[in-house]
Each structure stands twice: as C-alpha cells, then as structure tokens.
Amino acid sequence: MLMSIEIMFNSAGLVFIIAARHWDQPDGQVMFIFILAVTAVEVAIGLALILQVYHHFKTLDVDAINKLKDDNS
Amino acid sequence: MILVYIIVILLAGAFLAWISGNLSQVWPRIISLITLSIDLLLIITYLTQPTPFSSKWMIDIQYDWITQFGIGIHFALDGLSLLMLLLTFVLGIISVLISWKEINVKVGFFHFNLLLILAGIVGVFLSLDLFLFYFFWELMLVPMYFLIGIWGHENRTKAAYKFFLYTQASGLLMFISIIALYFVHGNSTGIFTFDYIQLLGTHMAPSTAMLIMTGFLAAFLVKLPVVPLHNWLPDAHSEAPTAGSLILAALLLKTGAYGLLRFIVPLFQAASVTFAPIGMALGVIGILYGAKLAFAQTDLKRLIAYTSVSHMGFVILGIFSFNELAYQGVVMQMIAHGISTGALFIMAGQLTERIHTRDITQMGGLWEKAPFMGAIGLIFSMASLGLPGLGNFIAELLILTGAFKASIIMSVLACLGLIAATLYSLRIMQKVFYGKKNNDWKMNDLSLREKIISITLVIIIAGLGFYPQPVFDIAKPALLKTLEQHTDKTVQQKEPVGEEFKLKSNTSLYKISNPL
Amino acid sequence: MNTIIAIIPALPFISFLILVLFGGKLSRRASGWIGAGSVGIAALLTIITGISLLNSVTGEKYYTIILWKWIHAANLNAEIAFRLDSLSLIFCFVITFVGFLIHIYSIGFMEKDEGFTRFFAYMNLFVCSMLILVLADNILLMYLGWEGVGLCSYLLIGFWYKEPENGTAARKAFIITRIGDTAMIIGIFILFVSFGTFNIQDIMQLAQAKWAVGSSIAVITAALLLGGALGKSAQLPLQTWLPDAMAGPSPVSALIHAATMVTAGVYLIARTNVLFSLAPAVQTVIAIIGALTLLIAGFSALAQHDLKRILAYSTISQIGYMFLALGVGAYSAAIFHFMIHAFFKALLFLAAGVIILVLNEEHDIFKMGGLRKKMPAVFWTFLIGSASLSALPLVTAGFYSKDAILWFSYSSINGSIILWMAGVMGAFLTALYSFRMIFITFFDKTNTEPSFKAGILMTAPLLILAVLSLFGGFVELPASLGSVHLFSGLVNQVLPGVVIKNIENMEWLFQLISAVIALSGIYLAYRFYYRKPAYMETFKNSRLNHFFEKGFEFDKVYDTVFVKPVVWLAETDKKDFFDQLNISIAKLALLGNRVMSLTENGKLRWYLLSFAIGIALILTLMMTQ
C-alpha cells in the first residue's frame, strides 16, 4: 500500500514537471520538491502506524483491520 | 384559572409522588389519591352549573405564550370536556386503588408516570390552542411507554415500542397538519395563529382540506383505534400492568374520539362529509373484525383488548353520522365503554394477580372459588354485549339509530356486531367462570378494597343504563355547538389573501408570504 | 290503582336485590320464601288489579303509570312507563300465578342444591323482566324486558355450571335468540325513524294512518319483528335451542321454556297486530310457519326418549298452534291457548321434574316404567296434563283452546283447509306422543325404583295446576256447546276479533272430527306402546326414527352452514393479518439496515475506493453544471 502511495506521489510530481516544462514556469519543479518532502514525512508516519498495526493485529493484511465493521446478527 | 390549577396540581402531585417514593412505598399511593381527589372535587362543582348556550363555553381562559408564532395558552371547558374530565378523575382514582398491591417496584416513579399521563389527558381535553394540544398529546406518550415497559408483563418491551412508534408517528403527521393549517389560515387571512376558535372556518381548497384532515385523522384513527391501524392495542393492553390497561382502554382511546369530535368535525366541514362513507365503513369493519378477533383469543386481556376495537367502531360510526342523536350516543359510549371495559380489565388483573396466568384455556369453573368476582364478570360481560339496563345499550342504541338516519346499510351491518358481541362475551364467562376446573388453584375471592372498586363501577354502569339523562343534558349544548360549527356556512366567506399557486401535483396551495 | 301496576314487577326485583346482597347471610328457608313470596304477592296484586279492571265502568279499560324519564336525547324520547290492559293482565296473571306455584315447587325441588339462593335470585329477576316485557308502554322498554328474559334464560339453563354441556346449551339459547333480537331491534329502528316515537299505542295509530296495506316498509318491519318473535318462541327456523335448554332444572323448564318466555313472541305479535294486518303477506307466513313447526316438532317428539325433550318438542309444537292462530287472525284463540297451555305444560314439566328427581336423575323413559302404583299423585296429575295436551274432548281445558284454533284455522277468512289439516294432523301426533309418554313411563314393569316420596311443596302445585288444566277452559265455550265468551270478550277489548267465513253452523262437524282424531291417537298409542308389537322395535331402530329424533337434523345443518365457518374464520386469522402487514414494515426496515450495513464492512480499501469514486462524481457534476 505504501508503495502505491509512492507511485501516486511520484506520478503527480511528474505531471507537475511536465506541465512546468510545457508552460515554461519554474513553479512545477518547486512543487515537485514539496512533494518529495511530503512523501518523506508521510513515509515516516506511515511506517510508524504500520508498526503499531502489526503490534496490535499481528498481520499487515488491511482487510483484517475491520473492527469498525457493522456487526448485526 | 381553575383549569390551569387542575393540571398544575397533577404535575405537582406527580413530582411529590416520585420524591416520596424514596421514603416508603405507601406515600406515593396516598399522594396520588389525594391529588386526584382534589381535582375531582374541583371539577364536580361544575356539574351543577348549566351551560348557557349562547356563551358556548362553561369556562374559557386565555394567556399569551409565544406570541411571535401565535401560540397561546387557551383552555376551555364545555359539557363534553366536563364529562371526559369526570371520567378521567374517577378512573384515575380507581387505577391508583387497583395498583395498591400490584405495583411493588419503583412505586414512586410509577405514580409519577401515572399522574403525568393523567395530566396529559386532562390537557388534551382542555386545550383549545393547537400547539398546546399537540404538546399534551405527546405528553401522554412517554410516561405510558415507561408504564408498559417497566411494570408490564413478559412481552412488555415489544408492546411498549409498538405503542410508542404507532402513536408517535401518527402524532407527527398531525403536527405537520397543524403547521399546514397554521400557514393556510395565515395566508388566507393574514393572521398566523394556532388558536382553535380563530382557525374555525378557515377557507381551504377542497384538496388542501382533505390533505390536512388526513394528517389529523392519522393521529385520531390510530388512537381510537380503527382497523387497520389498531395493531398496537392488543399488545399494549395485554402487556401493560392493570392500571396501565385501565388508563389505556378507558381514557387514552377516548382522546381519539374527542379529537374527532372537537377538531375534525368543526374544522373540516366539507372534507369530513366527503370522508364520511369511508369513516362509517371503517367503523363497521372495526366492529365486525374486532369481534371476530376477540372471539378467537386465548389470552384474556388480549380478548378484552379486541373488544375495545369493536366498541370503538361504534364511536367512529356515530361520529360520521353527523346528527345529534348519534353524537349523544358517542358520548355515552365513551363513558360506558370506559367503565365496562375498564372493569373487565380490572377483573382480568385481579385474576392474574391470583393465578399468574392470562390463558383462558387454563381457567374454568372459577365461579366456585370466587363467586363475587364471577358476578362482577357476568355484569360487565353483559354490559359488553349491550344488554339493556346497562349503559352500553343506551350508547349503542343511540348510535345505531343515529347512523340509521344517515345510512341504513351501515347501521344494519353494525347490528350484526350485536350478535358477534354475544359470541365473545359469553366466551369470557364460559371459559373463565363456568365449565370444568382445569386447574385447582387456591384463590381468594375479592378483598374489601377490590369489592368497593367493583361495586362502584357496577353502580355507575347500572345508573347510566337506567338514568342516563344527566349525561345527555350536560353534553347537549356542546354537541349542538359542534354540529353548528360543522354546518356553519357564513364563516366560509373570508376572502383569500394572496394569489393561488398550483403545485405540480395540481394541489392548490396559497402562496406562502413571509410569515414573520 | 295505577301505582299498583308499578309495584307488580318491582316486588320480584326487590326480592332479587335482597337475595343477591344478603343471600349469603339468610337461611335457606328465608331465601326460598322471600323468593316465592314476592311472586306470590305480585300474583295477588295482579288479581286485585284484574278485578278492578273488569269492574271499571269508564270507557278506556287500562291503567298506566310513568315512573321516570328514561332517555331524552335529541328527538328520541322513552320513559319507564307501564300500561296494563286486558292482554297484559292475562299475561301477568299467568306469569305471577303459575310462577308462584313454580317457586313454591322449587323450594322443595332445589332443597339439596348448593346454589339455592342463586337460583331464586335468577328466577326472581326473570319474573321481573317478563313482567316488564308485558307491562311496557313503549317498545324500547319491552326490548329491555325481552333481553332481560334472554339473560335469565341463559343463567338458568347453565345453572349447574360445572357441566360444560349445560354452558353450551345456555350459550346456544342466548345466541340464537340474540339473532332474532337483532332483527327485532332493526324493526324498532325503522318504526322510530318513521314515526318518531317508541310508544306502542302511538305507533299502532300512526302506522294505521300512514302506511298502506301491503306496502314494502310495512312488510319489512313486520318481518323483522317476526324474526324476533321466532327466536324467542323457538319456531322455525330458530327452534333448535329449546330441546337443548332442557339442561336446566325442571322448574326453569316449566316457567321459562313452557309458560312464559317462549310465549313472548306470541305477546309481541298480538301487541303489534296492527303492523301485521298491514302486511298480510307476513301474516300468512306466520300461519305457515306455525303449521310447519307444529308438524315437525310433533314428529320429533314422537322419537325422543328423554322425558323432558319430549315435553320440549311438545312446547315448540303447541306454540306452533298459537302462531297458526295469530296467522289467521284468531288472536283471542291464540291467547286462550297460551293460558291453558301454560297450565298443563307447567304441570307436565313439574311432574316430570318430580319423576326425574325421585329416580335419581334418570331422564330416559325407557328406563322408567311402572310408576303408576309407585307415585299415584304424580301419575294422576301427569295423566290430566297429558289429556289436556291431547285435547281430550269435553272434559279438559285443552280441548276448548285447541279446538278453537283448529276451527278458526279453517273458518277464518285468512284460513284454509290445508292449515286445518296440518292442525288436525298435529293433534293426532300430540295425542300419540303424549300417551306414548304415559304408557312407557307409568305402565309395565318398574325399571328404576323411586328413592323417596315427594313432599307437599312439590305435590300441591301439581294438584292446583291439574285442576286448572281441567276446568280452566270453561271460560270460553264455542257456540255449539254453550257459547260462553268470557275470555274472548276480555281479550277483544284490545285485540281485533277474528273474521270468519259464513260457515258457522258447520262448527260441530269440525269439532267432531278433531275429537275423533284425538281419541284415535290415544287408542293407537295404546296399541303401539302398551301392547308393544314387534314392528315397534324395528321402527325404533329405523333411519326415519333417527331423523325424527335429531329434530329433522336442523342442528347438523346449522352446524355446517353457520357454526363451523364462523369458528374457522375466527381461528385462521387469529394473529390478525393486519399485524403481519405492519410487522412487515418493521421487517423491511431491518432489511434495509442489513443491506446498508454491507457498506460498513470495516475494510479500509473499500472506504478509500468509495472516497475516490465520490470525489470523481462530485468533480464531474461540478464541471458539467
């Protein structure tokens, strides 16, 4: 899951670079640096959360984290 | 002022009872008894005063409350409300007396709820401001829910929910109608008010009137109850404690009938006439279907509950006959049914206290053990089937004769209900008191307290059967006034203000100008 | 004198109240004598009033009193008011006098019963209600008495409540009579809505003035009132309750189901005779019903083996004669037969009660026998009663009353030869089954021994009624035998006289024929039931006999057509399908919940996906609007 988020951010950054190149603005490249910073932060927090999840649920399967499920009988 | 005092005394008594419940179990009962007796004495003083026809109301008090919305406190007493209040207080006292030994848990809270319900009922009978009326209508609801849910029998939770949902939902429909009426009246005359007297004769297009009336009807038909909206009644009546059943059957059902007489008939002159054939048909269906269901039950209280459905069918038959004779019968039926069905529920409660079952297939031959109870059961079963000499006969006679003038076929079909009533009433006697003993219980006959209650009710019902004239005299001006308001054409001439605005569904609705 | 007529029904009512409130504290003797005494004093007052009425010289021969205003709502007015004229007087006399004798008898009969006080309370309430019925000034008060006697009949049939069959019989009686009562109340509505009053005299006058003869409204109203009469008097098609009503104690059968309540229908038709004369079609129907009933009941009586059931069917049959007389317009003959029938039928029931009690509750006549020597008083009084029932010529009162009906059934302008033949056939059957009863019960060898001798309390009423059954008829002798018209003179003050064809001189012929028929019936009974040839045994086991015994299988038909469908209808929908409808709404809501909760499955990816789809949708919408 974290990998897909990386790919999404990187692709968004690529779009910014290409758009900057198209309209000759340096803002796109600035955005890309922002995105890199955000990605780094997000990975840090995400990894911390994943560690906690593993500690609690003993698995990394996202589908197993369904305590909010509507449990009507 | 006395009308406000009556309600305030009830509310004060309710709180006192709750608090004193922490002291001992006896104090709440005594406090309730005293409260209700004071109120009964206050209202008895009005029995002897004649109602002058011209002034129309015996007492009429009005205060401002929320003037921006046109809501005021408007209480009024006329013959009809007086009779209903008398019934309320007498049966209220009796309900306190019968729960003397039956309720042993949370006695203070029980009497708190009891007095609140009675306060709500009294408010319903007295309010002439529609908002206030709705306030008291809803006030009757929640304490009754608690009464059934806490002190009831095995299936009490389900019964309490059902009662609450039916009554609340229909009450909300009525609220929408009240607001709609408020706006329609405001748009046509420029005055935005909830006051009943001013709302009489509101000019409404026929389809609007029909829609608004349907909202009111929803609430009253559920309360009355009318087939097919009657299903809350058997469950609520059979699972409630005896006092709860008594108040439900004897008083709460009458608020529905009262609403029909007080609001539907005068406010919706043409629409009620259009609805009349359906109303009468529903009445006849109620009489016959209710009797059929009563005949098949094996739970004693459920059987008696269905007989209530049957008897109330007569009420709606009478109301939609639109003549004074039928209306006198309706009033008499409200009182007589309250007494007779109330007494039957009391008897069922006394029986359940002794043998801890309501299943009539387990009973039988109980006359031998409890002849006094048997005799009381006999008298009220006979009242239930409309034996002359007891109040119910007078009521049914007047309703059937009045309905005969309005629609012969409906009246004849309703007469079949007399035969059906015989079937279920005799079934009660046969299964409970006569026949072979199925179980040899050790049970006592009625105690002195219970005997006093039963004899009082017998005297009232026999008195109504042989000397009903006082009831008719008190109710007459009120009923004539209702009929006069129903047919009054002069009030229709108020010109509409604002242009007509047609909705997509082709309903005509007056353009809503700024209400504030 | 006017106030006395209010006291007459009040006395039994006060006695009822005393017995109900204080019965537990009174001794048996006391409650018995209070119960009987109140009726006795009422009888005395009736006789005094009657003498005063007969001797009064002023034009209108009636007494009235208004007690209080009962209902005065809108335009509906009814008072508690009584009116005594000659018709009411005759009925009051029978009710109180025969009632008094039966009450005396009951003190002895119910001696050992634990419900002694309750019995007298119910009996007094009955006498009060019946008196209200016949004394009522307006038809609504009459309806009160009408239903009151129905209630007391129910209570007294089911008196021994511990046996469920008695309760079933009681309910059957109440329900069938209630069907008739409902027809009657609809008729009362029509009368009120047409004339605005309940007062009987006013209604009769207004009906005469406003309704045309044979008009549909008159026919419908008369038919409805007839329905009520048929129910109470156990005539076709509502006759099935009376044989089962024999489950009650014998005094009850004597008072209610022989002498008084079942004749309430006769009273109603006589009282409202103007309506029936305005609807000749209905009057013909009355005659036909009377004729058919008397035949069917007569055949049924022939096949019964329970002593009281024979008498029950006999009662149905004799009331059929009264209806026949009413139908042809012979009102005084009908009332005369009512009075004489009350005497001998009460006698027969009371005597039967003694037999059953003394033989330890044996009801089957084939288990009796030979009681002629063992119980002579009962035998002779029973014989006199049966002779009167069979209309034994010249010596018994029954002859004069039944003969008058037979004569009028042919000679009245509404009469016909067919009606007469039915009546004669019925007379033959009556003689046959009465003496069958006598021969089987009292002759031959004793199968069950009497266990004790009946006391004076039970025997004295038998003797008095026997005397009346013999000599009571001499107040009304036909033209060919002396032409005494004391009775009809009295009745015709109130009721119209019978109009007959021009054949008065042939009366002796018809009397001769009916006398011969009666005697031959007795003779055949002797041949069949005393000599007992073999073919009687085969007949007894035959299908035809069984059909008669079951009362022409009316019970079975009613059971299939009415009872079973109603019970089925009640049972199938016991849970009330409307409830299912409303529960299904609740179930729908639950279903909705279940469906919606599928979206709340706790899966993170699912939630994210729905976010994404939602955003995409909203953006698309925003861009395209």
Side-chain angles (χ1 to χ4, degrees):
Chain A
M1 206 161 95
L2 282 177
M3 269 188 51
S4 7
I5 295 178
E6 282 298 319
I7 299 177
M8 284 199 302
F9 274 122
N10 282 317
S11 42
L14 189 58
V15 169
F16 272 114
I17 305 282
I18 295 173
R21 174 73 181 81
H22 189 264
W23 280 297
D24 282 327
Q25 304 263 1
D27 301 323
Q29 298 180 18
V30 173
M31 272 312 298
F32 185 68
I33 304 203
F34 272 131
I35 290 175
L36 282 183
V38 165
T39 319
V41 170
E42 167 264 323
V43 162
I45 300 177
L47 279 172
L49 279 175
I50 287 182
L51 278 174
Q52 278 301 317
V53 164
Y54 185 72
H55 191 62
H56 226 280
F57 289 94
K58 305 286 188 258
T59 170
L60 286 179
D61 184 3
V62 151
D63 284 341
I65 315 170
N66 57 2
K67 282 283 173 76
L68 277 180
K69 181 176 174 170
D70 185 6
D71 233 350
N72 62 338
S73 41
Chain B
M1 252 339 258
I2 195 171
L3 298 178
V4 177
Y5 286 151
I6 292 178
I7 301 183
V8 166
I9 291 176
L10 278 174
L11 292 172
F15 279 104
L16 271 176
W18 196 3
I19 301 172
S20 71
N22 297 324
L23 284 176
S24 94
Q25 289 204 342
V26 180
W27 272 110
R29 299 172 184 146
I30 297 183
I31 291 178
S32 313
L33 215 49
I34 295 176
T35 318
L36 288 167
S37 309
I38 296 176
D39 273 342
L40 181 62
L41 285 170
L42 280 176
I43 207 77
I44 281 183
T45 56
Y46 282 92
L47 261 184
T48 47
Q49 287 189 11
T51 317
F53 186 49
S54 54
S55 71
K56 296 190 180 184
W57 299 99
M58 286 165 116
I59 316 173
D60 193 348
I61 58 175
Q62 199 158 1
Y63 299 108
D64 289 329
W65 189 10
I66 310 175
T67 38
Q68 306 99 303
F69 291 111
I71 302 171
I73 298 193
H74 188 172
F75 289 130
L77 186 77
D78 70 351
L80 178 61
S81 345
L82 176 62
L83 288 168
M84 291 296 106
L85 284 185
L86 276 170
L87 190 69
T88 311
F89 290 128
V90 169
L91 288 174
I93 293 178
I94 291 184
S95 65
V96 173
L97 285 174
I98 51 170
S99 356
W100 208 269
K101 289 257 160 45
E102 192 184 337
I103 305 289
N104 296 311
V105 218
K106 297 198 188 122
V107 183
F109 192 49
F110 177 82
H111 286 273
F112 170 72
N113 284 319
L114 194 70
L115 288 176
L116 268 187
I117 299 172
L118 290 175
I121 294 173
V122 168
V124 161
F125 286 138
L126 290 176
S127 306
L128 279 195
D129 180 285
L130 282 181
F131 194 85
L132 194 63
F133 176 79
Y134 183 71
F135 171 77
F136 281 111
W137 187 267
E138 293 296 310
L139 181 61
M140 295 191 297
L141 211 54
V142 176
M144 186 47 102
Y145 167 77
F146 281 128
L147 214 64
I148 303 176
I150 303 180
W151 293 277
H153 303 122
E154 320 81 48
N155 272 324
R156 58 184 179 269
T157 330
K158 176 172 155 221
Y161 274 146
K162 218 167 169 182
F163 164 76
F164 190 84
L165 283 173
Y166 268 83
T167 323
Q168 177 79 307
S170 57
L172 284 170
L173 284 173
M174 177 169 80
F175 193 47
I176 296 176
S177 284
I178 292 178
I179 300 206
L181 189 61
Y182 171 79
F183 280 120
V184 165
H185 179 82
N187 283 315
S188 74
T189 59
I191 308 171
F192 285 89
T193 171
F194 279 101
D195 188 66
Y196 170 75
I197 304 284
Q198 297 187 8
L199 284 173
L200 282 176
T202 313
H203 188 67
M204 294 182 268
S207 36
T208 323
M210 198 49 136
L211 278 174
I212 299 182
M213 189 180 80
T214 313
F216 275 98
L217 269 180
F220 298 137
L221 292 184
V222 164
K223 227 11 181 239
L224 197 58
V226 166
V227 175
L229 302 166
H230 64 284
N231 298 103
W232 62 272
L233 187 113
D235 290 310
H237 274 87
S238 43
E239 304 300 335
T242 316
S245 297
L246 177 63
I247 294 186
L248 263 175
L251 298 171
L252 243 55
L253 302 191
K254 312 304 177 289
T255 57
Y258 174 85
L260 284 172
L261 273 177
R262 181 68 84 211
F263 295 105
I264 303 263
V265 170
L267 282 174
F268 305 103
Q269 293 160 349
S272 53
V273 175
T274 322
F275 183 73
I278 308 176
M280 290 178 87
L282 283 176
V284 171
I285 295 175
I287 295 173
L288 296 173
Y289 193 63
K292 178 199 91 85
L293 284 167
F295 183 50
Q297 300 305 313
T298 51
D299 177 334
L300 182 61
K301 283 179 89 165
R302 226 179 147 83
L303 202 163
I304 303 174
Y306 276 116
T307 72
S308 282
V309 175
S310 189
H311 288 137
M312 288 294 114
F314 278 101
V315 166
I316 192 170
L317 179 69
I319 290 181
F320 284 105
S321 305
F322 297 119
N323 58 60
E324 192 201 336
L325 197 59
Y327 281 10
Q328 291 280 25
V330 164
V331 172
M332 184 51 106
Q333 176 80 321
M334 282 157 80
I335 302 176
H337 171 262
I339 304 281
S340 66
T341 309
L344 279 173
F345 273 118
I346 292 176
M347 184 195 81
Q350 289 163 343
L351 209 53
T352 317
E353 255 183 275
R354 286 158 169 74
I355 60 180
H356 306 292
T357 175
R358 301 194 308 269
D359 188 356
I360 58 177
T361 57
Q362 302 254 354
M363 306 180 199
L366 293 178
W367 188 291
E368 193 192 5
K369 298 264 162 85
F372 197 96
M373 193 196 289
I376 301 291
L378 179 66
I379 295 175
F380 288 106
S381 299
M382 291 301 124
S384 206
L385 65 84
L387 191 78
L390 301 167
N392 300 63
F393 167 68
I394 311 273
E396 286 172 9
L397 174 77
L398 291 177
I399 292 178
L400 287 171
T401 317
F404 201 81
K405 289 187 182 172
S407 161
I408 295 186
I409 182 82
M410 290 294 166
S411 184
V412 170
L413 284 173
C415 283
L416 292 179
L418 293 176
I419 305 177
T422 319
L423 290 173
Y424 63 67
S425 297
L426 293 183
R427 181 178 160 91
I428 297 177
M429 284 310 293
Q430 183 68 29
K431 286 285 188 195
V432 176
F433 292 110
Y434 295 143
K436 283 211 180 339
K437 281 189 289 198
N438 281 319
N439 279 310
D440 204 3
W441 286 297
K442 186 173 162 335
M443 63 183 255
N444 299 322
D445 206 354
L446 299 183
S447 68
L448 182 66
R449 164 184 64 97
E450 292 167 329
K451 276 193 184 147
I452 294 177
I453 298 172
S454 307
I455 293 185
T456 316
L457 292 172
V458 168
I459 294 177
I460 299 179
I461 199 82
L464 285 175
F466 281 107
Y467 192 55
Q469 200 49 43
V471 170
F472 296 139
D473 291 333
I474 297 177
K476 190 182 167 98
L479 296 174
L480 283 177
K481 176 181 47 151
T482 309
L483 280 168
E484 191 192 277
Q485 287 161 349
H486 174 69
T487 50
D488 195 353
K489 291 282 178 269
T490 58
V491 214
Q492 285 272 42
Q493 301 312 315
K494 292 186 194 163
E495 277 307 309
V497 171
E499 317 133 22
E500 254 195 55
F501 172 75
K502 282 211 175 323
L503 285 182
K504 287 207 182 81
S505 56
N506 227 4
T507 322
S508 178
L509 195 67
Y510 289 102
K511 182 167 170 205
I512 298 178
S513 50
N514 189 354
L516 295 169
Chain C
M1 191 49 71
N2 284 334
T3 36
I4 292 193
I5 62 172
I7 300 181
I8 296 177
L11 280 171
F13 186 70
I14 296 173
S15 165
F16 161 73
L17 285 176
I18 294 177
L19 288 173
V20 163
L21 294 172
F22 306 116
K25 306 192 179 68
L26 292 168
S27 74
R28 285 214 168 183
R29 275 187 84 89
S31 37
W33 285 104
I34 291 177
S38 62
V39 181
I41 301 179
L44 201 62
L45 288 175
T46 313
I47 296 176
I48 295 175
T49 319
I51 297 175
S52 161
L53 188 72
L54 291 170
N55 285 337
S56 86
V57 284
T58 52
E60 293 280 12
K61 294 200 169 228
Y62 62 87
Y63 297 123
T64 56
I65 179 171
I66 300 180
L67 287 178
W68 71 82
K69 210 192 264 186
W70 188 17
I71 310 175
H72 184 63
N75 58 338
L76 193 150
N77 296 315
E79 288 109 12
I80 307 275
F82 295 129
R83 187 178 198 276
L84 182 86
D85 56 17
S86 51
L87 178 63
S88 315
L89 177 66
I90 296 168
F91 271 85
C92 278
F93 170 69
V94 171
I95 298 167
T96 50
F97 187 69
V98 176
F100 175 58
L101 292 173
I102 295 177
H103 275 74
I104 300 281
Y105 172 93
S106 309
I107 303 180
F109 186 84
M110 300 295 288
E111 208 179 7
K112 300 201 180 58
D113 199 289
E114 52 169 346
F116 190 82
T117 319
R118 184 164 58 101
F119 183 80
F120 278 96
Y122 289 163
M123 290 285 268
N124 279 337
L125 186 63
F126 170 80
V127 172
C128 168
S129 304
M130 190 73 203
L131 285 170
I132 292 180
L133 201 163
V134 299
L135 284 174
D137 185 8
N138 57 63
I139 206 164
L140 205 60
L141 188 61
M142 191 204 285
Y143 186 75
L144 188 149
W146 192 271
E147 292 273 13
V149 298
L151 168 69
C152 295
S153 172
Y154 164 75
L155 290 173
L156 285 165
I157 295 174
F159 182 72
W160 289 316
Y161 57 82
K162 294 193 183 151
E163 304 303 318
E165 309 88 57
N166 298 346
T168 311
R171 279 191 298 170
K172 187 174 174 182
F174 201 111
I175 294 172
I176 294 183
T177 50
R178 202 103 212 279
I179 297 176
D181 297 345
T182 308
M184 185 172 157
I185 197 81
I186 299 178
I188 295 179
F189 288 155
I190 298 180
L191 286 173
F192 176 71
V193 168
S194 309
F195 302 129
T197 173
F198 284 113
N199 187 299
I200 300 179
Q201 303 300 318
D202 292 341
I203 292 178
M204 294 299 114
Q205 252 183 321
L206 288 166
Q208 187 81 298
K210 290 194 184 172
W211 284 354
V213 178
S215 59
S216 47
I217 190 169
V219 170
I220 294 176
T221 316
L224 287 168
L225 289 179
L226 176 64
L230 291 179
K232 267 300 187 276
S233 296
Q235 297 295 288
L236 240 59
L238 298 171
Q239 87 284 17
T240 48
W241 64 270
L242 192 54
D244 289 341
M246 297 299 114
S250 296
V252 170
S253 310
L255 183 60
I256 300 185
H257 305 127
T260 44
M261 180 178 110
V262 291
T263 52
V266 176
Y267 176 78
L268 175 68
I269 298 180
R271 193 42 101 193
T272 55
N273 61 78
V274 168
L275 282 176
F276 290 96
S277 60
L278 288 171
V282 179
Q283 201 157 11
T284 320
V285 168
I286 297 180
I288 298 176
I289 289 181
L292 279 174
T293 312
L294 70 91
L295 282 175
I296 291 180
F299 278 115
S300 305
L302 209 49
Q304 301 301 317
H305 49 84
D306 179 326
L307 182 60
K308 286 178 74 176
R309 276 181 94 93
I310 302 177
L311 294 173
Y313 277 108
S314 170
T315 307
I316 300 177
S317 185
Q318 296 303 307
I319 298 179
Y321 274 102
M322 295 178 217
F323 270 63
L324 177 59
L326 291 171
V328 297
Y331 292 106
S332 64
I335 308 295
F336 188 42
H337 194 59
F338 149 71
M339 188 174 82
I340 304 297
H341 171 261
F343 296 145
F344 63 69
K345 198 44 75 62
L347 167 62
L348 285 169
F349 268 112
L350 293 181
V354 175
I355 297 174
I356 293 173
L357 194 66
V358 160
L359 293 181
N360 280 329
E361 297 301 322
E362 182 56 65
H363 285 243
D364 190 338
I365 54 174
F366 290 105
K367 300 220 174 67
M368 302 178 189
L371 296 174
R372 182 164 58 106
K373 295 285 166 48
K374 307 272 168 79
M375 306 169 69
V378 174
F379 169 64
W380 284 106
T381 48
F382 201 97
L383 185 61
I384 292 173
S386 301
S388 206
L389 174 58
S390 318
L392 201 64
L394 295 176
V395 288
T396 57
F399 170 70
Y400 296 106
S401 64
K402 187 178 287 185
D403 200 70
I405 296 182
L406 288 176
W407 167 238
F408 289 128
S409 67
Y410 176 66
S411 66
S412 159
I413 48 172
N414 294 327
S416 80
I417 192 77
I418 303 184
L419 291 173
W420 177 81
M421 287 201 296
V424 166
M425 179 76 200
F428 174 72
L429 286 171
T430 312
L432 194 59
Y433 67 66
S434 314
F435 277 85
R436 166 182 183 258
M437 230 183 354
I438 298 260
F439 287 125
I440 299 183
T441 316
F442 292 99
F443 285 78
D444 220 358
K445 62 174 173 56
T446 315
N447 288 322
T448 321
E449 289 289 334
S451 52
F452 62 92
K453 195 161 159 26
I456 183 75
L457 284 173
M458 289 202 262
T459 329
L462 294 180
L463 294 170
I464 300 177
L465 286 171
V467 167
L468 283 171
S469 304
L470 285 178
F471 302 116
F474 293 130
V475 292
E476 182 73 15
L477 297 175
S480 43
L481 293 166
S483 198
V484 177
H485 291 295
L486 290 171
F487 192 85
S488 52
L490 185 64
V491 174
N492 287 334
Q493 288 175 2
V494 179
L495 297 175
V498 57
V499 184
I500 55 176
K501 307 175 204 162
N502 213 348
I503 40 168
E504 267 205 44
N505 48 346
M506 289 186 36
E507 195 180 344
W508 65 271
L509 178 64
F510 287 85
Q511 286 173 332
L512 193 61
I513 298 177
S514 43
V516 166
I517 298 279
L519 288 169
S520 58
I522 299 175
Y523 174 66
L524 276 173
Y526 170 75
R527 285 296 300 269
F528 289 155
Y529 300 110
Y530 189 67
R531 292 285 188 76
K532 277 194 268 241
Y535 55 78
M536 281 316 296
E537 201 56 37
T538 28
F539 177 69
K540 200 164 133 196
N541 297 330
S542 69
R543 287 271 300 270
L544 188 63
N545 193 46
H546 189 74
F547 180 66
F548 288 158
E549 193 194 338
K550 291 285 173 203
F552 286 62
E553 298 284 7
F554 267 92
D555 272 326
K556 206 173 189 179
V557 169
Y558 287 156
D559 202 39
T560 331
V561 173
F562 292 114
V563 177
K564 288 209 165 49
V566 168
V567 173
W568 172 85
L569 192 66
E571 279 291 315
T572 36
D573 194 26
K574 211 154 95 156
K575 293 252 192 306
D576 190 4
F577 75 94
F578 282 118
D579 212 17
Q580 306 304 320
L581 236 92
N582 294 312
I583 288 181
S584 57
I585 297 182
K587 288 218 169 93
L588 220 75
L590 275 174
L591 186 70
N593 179 7
R594 279 214 194 102
V595 166
M596 294 315 259
S597 67
L598 284 175
T599 59
E600 236 177 81
N601 50 11
K603 293 193 187 150
L604 203 52
R605 299 185 292 154
W606 184 275
Y607 294 160
L608 287 171
L609 184 60
S610 37
F611 282 177
I613 297 179
I615 294 175
L617 272 174
I618 293 176
L619 281 174
T620 334
L621 279 172
M622 276 175 62
M623 300 226 262
T624 53
Q625 283 292 7

